[in-house]
Amino acid sequence: MFGGAGGNKFDMLKQMKKMRSQVKTMEKELAGLNFVGISKNKLLSVTLDGKFQMKSIQIEDELIEKKDKNLLEKSIQEAYTKALQDAQAGAAKQMQAMGGFPGFGM
């Protein structure tokens, strides 16, 4: 009576375990990727990993010497936004390369 249903549950558990393994592998690979965003004035750069974690900010001395808080804030925002866009695109590309997640529209 429950043979068919139990088999389906077992298959689902196996598939879930496989998906968890794929996610862990993808997370490791994404963490190893770096995406650099550079401000329009080219005086500040931000580096994010593929998991969108900030790894570094590089500020040119010229920007600091200007003592312009608004320019510094704008430069950080521009560089971060660019790095985030690149990281999101890179993560999507990486997921696609690994076959995405069948059944989840990815």
Side-chain angles (χ1 to χ4, degrees), residues 64-81:
I64 294 171
E65 291 167 0
K66 290 184 181 207
K67 297 182 181 179
D68 185 340
K69 180 182 173 190
N70 289 332
L71 181 60
L72 177 60
E73 290 171 347
K74 185 176 178 180
S75 297
I76 292 169
Q77 184 179 25
E78 290 170 354
Y80 178 80
T81 299

Side-chain angles (χ1 to χ4, degrees), residues 1-65:
M1 179 175 167
F2 295 105
N8 287 340
K9 287 182 183 180
F10 182 71
D11 288 342
M12 284 178 55
L13 288 173
K14 281 175 55 178
Q15 192 168 10
M16 292 294 287
K17 186 176 180 180
K18 181 180 177 184
M19 287 177 57
R20 266 194 302 249
S21 176
Q22 286 177 321
V23 168
K24 286 181 183 183
T25 300
M26 189 177 305
E27 284 179 343
K28 283 182 185 179
E29 289 187 21
L30 288 173
L33 299 175
N34 287 313
F35 300 91
V36 178
I38 300 172
S39 63
K40 290 179 185 175
N41 59 22
K42 298 186 180 13
L43 298 177
L44 189 138
S45 66
V46 172
T47 303
L48 301 179
D49 68 15
K51 293 175 67 178
F52 314 129
Q53 299 296 309
M54 190 177 300
K55 294 298 180 182
S56 68
I57 297 178
Q58 301 293 320
I59 304 171
E60 296 294 327
D61 291 338
E62 180 182 337
L63 183 57
I64 294 171
E65 291 167 0

